[in-house]
Amino acid sequence: MSRGPDAATLLTRALAAAAAADNVACAITGSDWNRWASATFTGVQHRLTLAGAFTPALDDWLTTLPERDFVLPGHLVADLTIVAMRASPDRIEADLQALTVEDW
């Protein structure tokens, strides 16, 4: 019996859905994750790269991304940070780090 999609899959789907809902074209071009645990919580540390053609809308969307609330069944997005952004006249890339915590 499967428990459903893992936190990394849920987070990438939520980011893609948020971009589509805001009519912003970008793609996840890289991702990695590690399981994480403290004395009271378990979760996942995520590293992702988002990229797309440079537009003011995409630039603004990326800038406000850390303030967004994401609904992930069974998980909470405890933190999402943009650690680096690279922009040229035709392309923008953002490196993100996120922490999801299991909410069972």
Side-chain angles (χ1 to χ4, degrees):
M1 181 192 285
S2 174
R3 292 178 45 191
D6 61 23
T9 300
L10 292 171
L11 181 59
T12 57
R13 287 178 183 172
L15 288 166
D22 291 343
N23 202 27
V24 172
C26 66
I28 296 170
T29 59
S31 66
D32 194 15
W33 58 271
N34 289 312
R35 299 276 308 150
W36 166 87
S38 70
T40 54
F41 299 104
T42 59
V44 177
Q45 294 174 323
H46 307 263
R47 289 168 303 286
L48 302 116
T49 301
L50 297 178
F54 184 86
T55 64
L58 178 54
D59 187 35
D60 291 343
W61 185 81
L62 288 169
T63 301
T64 61
L65 198 58
E67 296 145 21
R68 244 189 138 103
D69 290 325
F70 292 96
V71 177
L72 307 180
H75 304 271
L76 298 172
V77 178
D79 187 40
L80 189 142
T81 306
I82 296 175
V83 294
M85 284 182 70
R86 294 170 298 284
S88 68
D90 61 341
R91 184 171 174 81
I92 189 168
E93 291 184 344
D95 296 329
L96 311 176
Q97 289 183 345
L99 176 65
T100 56
V101 176
E102 291 179 3
D103 181 32
W104 303 108

